[in-house]
Amino acid sequence: MRRLIVSAIALALAGAVASPVVLAADAAAPSVQAVTGTTQLPRNVRPSHYAVSITPHADKLAFDGKVAVDVDVLEPTRSITLNAIDMTFASATLTPRGGKPWTAKVSVDDQAQTAVFTFDKPVPAGAYTLSMTYAGKIGTQANGLFAIDYDTKAGKKRALYTQFENSDARRFIPSWDEPAYKATFDLDVTVPTGLMAVNNMPAASSKDLGNGLTHVVFKTSPKMSTYLLFFGLGDFDRATTMSGDTEIGVVVQKGHVAQAQFALESSKAVLAEYNDYFGVPYPLPKLDNIGSPGSSQFFGAMENWGAIYTFEYALLLDPSISTQRDRQGVFGIAAHEMAHQWFGDLVTMRWWDDLWLNEGFASWMASRTTAKLHPEWQTELDNVDIREQAMSRDAAATTHPIVQHIETVEQASQAFDAITYSKGEAVIRMLEGYVGADTWREGVRRYIKAHSYNNTVSDDLWHEMDAAAGKPVSTIAHDFTLQPGVPMIKVVSTACAGGNTTVQLEQGEFSKDQPNKKPLMWHVPVTAQVGKGAVATALVADGKGTITVPGCGPVVVNAGQGGYYRTLYAPKEFQALRGAFAGLQPIDQLGIMGDTWAMAMAGVETPANYMDLAKAVTPDSVPQVWGEVVDGLLGLDGYYRGDAARQATFRKFATARLAPELKRVGWVPRDGEPAPVKILRPQLIGALGSLGDKAVLAEAQRRFDANDMPAELRKTIISVVASNANAATWDKLHAQAKAETTPLIKDELYAMLSTAKDDALAQRALDLALTDEPGATNSAGMISIAGRNHPDMAFDFAVAHKAQVDKLVDSTSSARYYPGIGSSSFDPAMPGKVQAFAEKYIAATSRRGADAVIANIKYRTQVRSERLPAVDAWLKKNG
């Protein structure tokens, strides 16, 4: 699953307790092989096959279902417990193979999300079929089977889709809805004639029933976890291509196939690359990517085996509005979800504790593949930003290890975060660099081959890596996955003799909010380089180390930025790097700026160091480095919010730094310009607009009024205008949003209405979000976006209207959604408000998101009071 930055968490499951049990690895021979697992269900019954029949009633937001589950009863029992929610049961029977059915009494526990089937006498161990007739609900948010209403030129239409990760298959099928309960699936559906039904597998048959309905039967799926099952229904078009023996398809709303062509072509190239890399060919006959209007606060795409689900903004490229960043995003998200077809679908983590085996690896594989297949995009430089996202979260007291203990559904939802994704990816990249790319690939291939169609824990991977590498990769891996936090490598001193530089290192721990914390210890693979000389490597253990680097001159530690650690230079060494900064490799410039920013904001070193680096960036620097300057200056500007005089002084410097670069890049895209320049241009325009640069504001308004907006800049120009809008401009944007019939553009316009800096207009956007007008899946995003400029207003509004807002938020998101709205506040009262909300509405075991928001507000308030004076002093000195 590809998460969004704004995504949130969780469906509370009060009373469900996870516990270690013995799980039969093979139901046919449970005594032969067993593994320890975590569960919320009894382990006395195990499913092997589901035959599911569904009749949706989209107009009534309901469906009828029948399911026959082949099960093995492993020990005598009077009851069978499985997962179900929002269901009513008409009948249930248990039939022994070759015997007569037993009637079951059904008891539903909505709080535990279970259905218990009890019998008049004990059921002996053996093989049975559990058959159920039931009815369920179709939602309007992305949980279970849900409906999306969207505009077209022919009027409003409704499509149906499913979203089951992490624990929502139980809304569609009464099932053993845990990843370790793998089974095969047969799905058949009775649907309105003329609509397209989509499943993980191709259709085996389709029969017109003659009454406006068609019966579609799909082929049997491979053995897989419940959360990977998919069903979609709508007025769709499908385009296909072939990659070897696999049919690759895109399924989108009718008339939009052309906008999915890039995704289709990209998928073909990615599948060929993955078949080669993993050494195990993709095993299903087809691989569709299904595009859907709308959005979620939890995710952007989902890796259902053979039927990836992706929101349109992450799949389609509209020539009137899409950008180079969108193009790269489409490729990266498709590559991420396709990597899951092996890491997650073919081989699945046993329980949510090891979710990173899915998400960290899919993220790493997508980054690696994007850089390989599109070197012209220079996306390898993005690896530093990925690492920064992880370290920012990991350096707080509220962090957690990559491998984490999960007990409830809500906690499982909260596991989808920057630690699981970005830290997981960064640690994999570091380990790959440590053992070598070829050796790492061999370990991955061994792992995939050994565990296909089964479930694993992290040590299954490390076992194969140790064997492939011939050295204990697991020692380093355990340090970085089983304990939280960010190592800090301190460059204590450097000395040059005989053409080599000896570097003395110490290992501590970088923390944003625990300055006196006793540091944890890691085995840290360290790289170092002088100039463009050879890269030296060493393993720092027990807190100290020495590395000898060929050449004499300023030393870059973490050369190539593949390591997951902060680097703190002694003052003399930092000044040497500062003087040589313009000549360093771009990736090292980015890494040094990232480290310096983080440590300056945490008070480990002076903010003047970061300002010196921002000033040292030259017109010859690559666009990505200028992008880092943009982000840093905007970050500082945000800390000045509410202090007009000091902010004006800072903005004078920031504008003077960025405006010449925009002049050099220009407003008008040039034919053949590099992709990074295409991305930098809107970054600069957006930043200068945020900084209040009068020339940029005037030009953006002129282009908006004249409708003179190149596609690459349309979103940026509208964003600048919307955030600075007066009432008349806001009304004009609102009218455009109401009139728009293309969901991809319409959704974007409604989001922009929430960016207004004006208090009254922000309130209008909040009020609008509670109406039916924006669309059921857009409204929650509007409230969250309003919170960026107006956190106190938006948070208070959401809490005051919680009953209405709850209907707009997918249940997997709610526990983190509400606290997140207030996360950019500087109000001293906000931490107390978030705490009070959490105590009232969020289970005590599931408040990580709220705790992180509270800690971050306190941290940012400290930065504002304790770090900005040093920036003020630097500005006074440097002009």
Side-chain angles (χ1 to χ4, degrees):
M1 180 184 290
R2 186 72 169 202
R3 285 186 66 252
L4 305 176
I5 295 300
V6 295
S7 68
I9 289 295
L11 175 63
L13 184 61
V17 177
S19 58
V21 294
V22 175
L23 161 64
D26 185 343
S31 62
V32 176
Q33 182 184 14
V35 293
T36 299
T38 305
T39 184
Q40 294 172 327
L41 292 173
R43 292 296 193 190
N44 56 349
V45 179
R46 185 171 181 83
S48 59
H49 178 74
Y50 294 82
V52 187
S53 299
I54 298 292
T55 301
H57 308 290
D59 56 333
K60 300 176 182 177
L61 292 179
F63 68 93
D64 297 320
K66 293 182 180 180
V67 60
V69 191
D70 294 339
V71 299
D72 290 286
V73 175
L74 305 179
E75 59 186 31
T77 181
R78 291 288 295 267
S79 65
I80 295 175
T81 302
L82 45 71
N83 293 116
I85 186 171
D86 287 337
M87 289 180 179
T88 57
F89 290 86
S91 64
T93 59
L94 183 70
T95 306
R97 303 288 163 83
K100 295 182 179 180
W102 299 14
T103 300
K105 180 180 179 181
V106 186
S107 175
V108 177
D109 186 334
D110 290 332
Q111 187 178 39
Q113 300 184 2
T114 57
V116 180
F117 301 81
T118 56
F119 305 93
D120 292 336
K121 57 183 179 179
V123 178
Y128 298 83
T129 298
L130 178 63
S131 301
M132 296 159 276
T133 302
Y134 62 99
K137 298 178 180 179
I138 299 175
T140 56
Q141 301 298 325
N143 304 104
L145 178 61
F146 65 100
I148 292 282
D149 293 335
Y150 60 97
D151 289 295
T152 72
K153 291 180 174 58
K156 281 192 175 293
K157 294 193 176 182
R158 173 171 288 179
L160 302 181
Y161 309 93
T162 57
Q163 165 58 24
F164 294 156
E165 192 178 28
N166 49 280
S167 305
D168 282 321
R170 63 193 66 180
R171 297 176 184 272
F172 187 67
I173 310 171
S175 57
W176 284 259
D177 192 18
E178 297 178 2
Y181 280 119
K182 287 195 169 187
T184 53
F185 293 82
D186 281 323
L187 177 68
D188 69 86
V189 294
T190 302
V191 298
T193 300
L195 297 184
M196 182 184 296
V198 186
N199 175 238
N200 309 75
M201 298 296 290
S205 65
S206 179
K207 181 180 179 181
D208 189 337
L209 300 179
N211 55 355
L213 296 174
T214 296
H215 185 233
V216 182
V217 179
F218 296 99
K219 294 182 179 179
T220 304
S221 80
K223 183 181 176 185
M224 65 185 188
S225 302
T226 50
Y227 76 88
L228 297 170
L229 184 66
F230 178 79
F231 166 60
L233 177 69
D235 190 18
F236 301 148
D237 281 336
R238 181 172 185 256
T240 64
T241 187
M242 295 297 295
S243 180
D245 294 331
T246 304
E247 182 180 77
I248 300 176
V250 288
V251 179
V252 295
Q253 60 166 297
K254 193 171 289 292
H256 287 247
V257 160
Q259 295 180 8
Q261 194 62 36
F262 177 72
L264 183 64
E265 294 169 356
S266 298
S267 297
K268 179 176 182 177
V270 170
L271 188 63
E273 172 66 18
Y274 286 177
N275 279 334
D276 175 66
Y277 187 90
F278 289 118
V280 174
Y282 174 76
L284 276 67
K286 64 97 173 175
L287 176 55
D288 281 327
N289 200 334
I290 299 96
S292 162
S295 62
S296 163
Q297 297 301 295
F298 186 62
F299 74 107
M302 174 60 204
E303 65 268 19
N304 313 296
W305 212 358
I308 296 167
Y309 174 86
T310 308
F311 286 110
E312 285 183 346
Y313 67 82
L315 180 70
L316 304 185
L317 294 175
D318 187 310
S320 71
I321 198 169
S322 296
T323 66
Q324 177 63 29
R325 187 180 291 278
D326 293 330
R327 187 178 180 86
Q328 292 179 202
V330 167
F331 187 94
I333 290 173
H336 178 102
E337 303 308 330
M338 291 176 68
H340 274 310
Q341 307 300 298
W342 287 264
F343 265 102
D345 298 2
L346 181 61
V347 182
T348 312
M349 80 269 138
R350 187 179 302 158
W351 182 249
W352 303 106
D353 295 22
D354 289 287
L355 176 63
W356 87 286
L357 284 175
N358 289 12
E359 301 300 349
F361 268 85
S363 297
W364 162 76
M365 195 69 187
S367 294
R368 172 201 169 276
T369 302
T370 302
K372 179 178 180 181
L373 298 186
H374 285 285
E376 74 279 8
W377 293 348
Q378 301 175 14
T379 55
E380 67 279 0
L381 297 180
D382 296 339
N383 294 341
V384 175
D385 184 56
I386 292 165
R387 187 188 70 190
E388 291 301 312
Q389 291 177 31
M391 287 186 175
S392 178
R393 176 71 179 85
D394 205 19
T398 54
T399 189
H400 62 85
I402 288 178
V403 178
Q404 55 188 309
H405 180 56
I406 300 295
E407 292 186 345
T408 67
V409 168
E410 188 171 27
Q411 289 177 355
S413 296
Q414 291 182 348
F416 293 81
D417 65 4
I419 301 300
T420 297
Y421 285 74
S422 300
K423 182 176 181 179
E425 175 180 351
V427 168
I428 292 167
R429 185 171 294 110
M430 178 178 67
L431 293 173
E432 180 193 27
Y434 177 68
V435 302
D438 291 342
T439 299
W440 183 260
R441 181 179 62 182
E442 178 58 27
V444 168
R445 287 179 169 181
R446 291 171 60 102
Y447 170 78
I448 294 293
K449 289 177 181 177
H451 300 286
S452 292
Y453 302 101
N454 287 311
N455 299 87
T456 61
V457 295
S458 294
D459 274 346
D460 293 322
L461 175 67
W462 305 138
H463 173 77
E464 301 300 340
M465 284 296 171
D466 285 347
K471 56 183 177 180
V473 180
S474 55
T475 300
I476 302 171
H478 284 159
D479 285 353
F480 282 88
T481 60
L482 300 181
Q483 62 183 4
V486 180
M488 182 163 64
I489 298 297
K490 302 176 184 178
V491 180
V492 178
S493 65
T494 59
C496 184
N500 293 316
T501 299
T502 300
V503 185
Q504 298 297 329
L505 305 172
E506 291 182 359
Q507 184 248 294
E509 182 176 353
F510 172 70
S511 174
K512 297 198 302 186
D513 51 8
Q514 299 180 94
N516 299 317
K517 181 180 185 291
K518 181 181 178 180
L520 298 172
M521 289 290 106
W522 291 263
H523 291 77
V524 184
V526 174
T527 59
Q529 184 180 29
V530 171
K532 296 182 180 179
V535 176
T537 62
L539 188 66
V540 174
D542 300 322
K544 291 186 178 181
T546 301
I547 188 168
T548 301
V549 188
C552 293
V555 177
V556 174
V557 172
N558 203 3
Q561 304 303 309
Y564 187 80
Y565 53 88
R566 293 277 181 217
T567 305
L568 175 62
Y569 295 91
K572 184 184 75 170
E573 278 68 27
F574 180 82
Q575 290 306 316
L577 280 175
R578 160 68 180 83
F581 188 75
L584 299 179
Q585 295 295 323
I587 198 164
D588 290 324
Q589 291 177 326
L590 291 167
I592 292 168
M593 292 183 79
D595 284 338
T596 305
W597 166 272
M599 289 186 286
M601 295 301 103
V604 178
E605 58 179 285
T606 173
N609 286 352
Y610 180 82
M611 299 300 289
D612 285 343
L613 294 179
K615 190 176 180 181
V617 174
T618 69
D620 294 331
S621 298
V622 299
Q624 292 89 336
V625 172
W626 274 105
E628 165 60 29
V629 175
V630 167
D631 291 344
L633 295 180
L634 284 179
L636 285 171
D637 184 66
Y639 282 116
Y640 280 108
R641 192 179 70 222
D643 191 335
R646 293 169 74 199
Q647 188 176 54
T649 300
F650 174 78
R651 286 184 168 185
K652 183 178 180 181
F653 165 78
T655 300
R657 194 77 190 95
L658 299 179
E661 184 63 12
L662 176 58
K663 183 177 180 180
R664 188 180 72 82
V665 171
W667 276 76
V668 180
R670 302 177 178 92
D671 291 340
E673 68 184 2
V677 175
K678 293 180 182 291
I679 291 175
L680 177 61
R681 179 179 292 107
Q683 282 183 290
L684 290 166
I685 293 170
L688 287 163
S690 294
L691 293 168
D693 180 67
K694 292 181 180 179
V696 165
L697 293 178
E699 179 65 5
Q701 188 69 52
R702 183 195 71 78
R703 288 178 174 272
F704 175 76
D705 292 339
N707 197 25
D708 179 19
M709 296 179 285
E712 284 277 352
L713 293 181
R714 181 176 177 182
K715 284 191 285 191
T716 300
I717 291 170
I718 296 176
S719 179
V720 170
V721 169
S723 62
N724 293 279
N726 57 24
T729 300
W730 196 92
D731 286 339
K732 182 177 179 180
L733 281 167
H734 186 200
Q736 290 180 2
K738 287 195 292 185
E740 182 58 58
T741 58
T742 300
L744 192 65
I745 300 174
K746 189 182 189 76
D747 295 351
E748 195 79 39
L749 290 172
Y750 275 106
M752 289 181 183
L753 288 172
S754 295
T755 65
K757 296 176 183 177
D758 181 84
D759 289 351
L761 296 178
Q763 185 62 57
R764 289 179 65 183
L766 291 172
D767 293 337
L768 180 62
L770 293 188
T771 71
D772 294 334
E773 182 187 312
T777 66
N778 290 326
S779 292
M782 290 181 66
I783 298 170
S784 180
I785 291 168
R788 298 175 191 174
N789 288 324
H790 309 273
D792 308 287
M793 177 196 298
F795 180 82
D796 291 345
F797 177 87
V799 174
H801 298 85
K802 185 175 183 298
Q804 292 169 273
V805 175
D806 279 349
K807 299 175 183 178
L808 307 173
V809 181
D810 25 9
S811 60
T812 31
S813 304
S814 60
R816 201 157 56 188
Y817 172 80
Y818 286 95
I821 295 171
S823 61
S824 64
S825 175
F826 286 114
D827 186 345
M830 182 57 76
K833 289 181 180 180
V834 173
Q835 184 66 39
F837 178 91
E839 290 175 356
K840 186 174 182 179
Y841 295 111
I842 304 174
T845 55
S846 304
R847 295 176 184 166
R848 180 189 292 161
D851 292 343
V853 166
I854 291 168
N856 193 50
I857 292 172
K858 292 178 178 178
Y859 167 73
R860 292 173 61 253
T861 301
Q862 183 180 19
V863 169
R864 182 174 179 155
S865 63
E866 298 181 10
R867 312 293 174 242
L868 290 192
V871 178
D872 295 336
W874 187 93
L875 291 169
K876 185 175 182 179
K877 179 180 178 181
N878 288 270

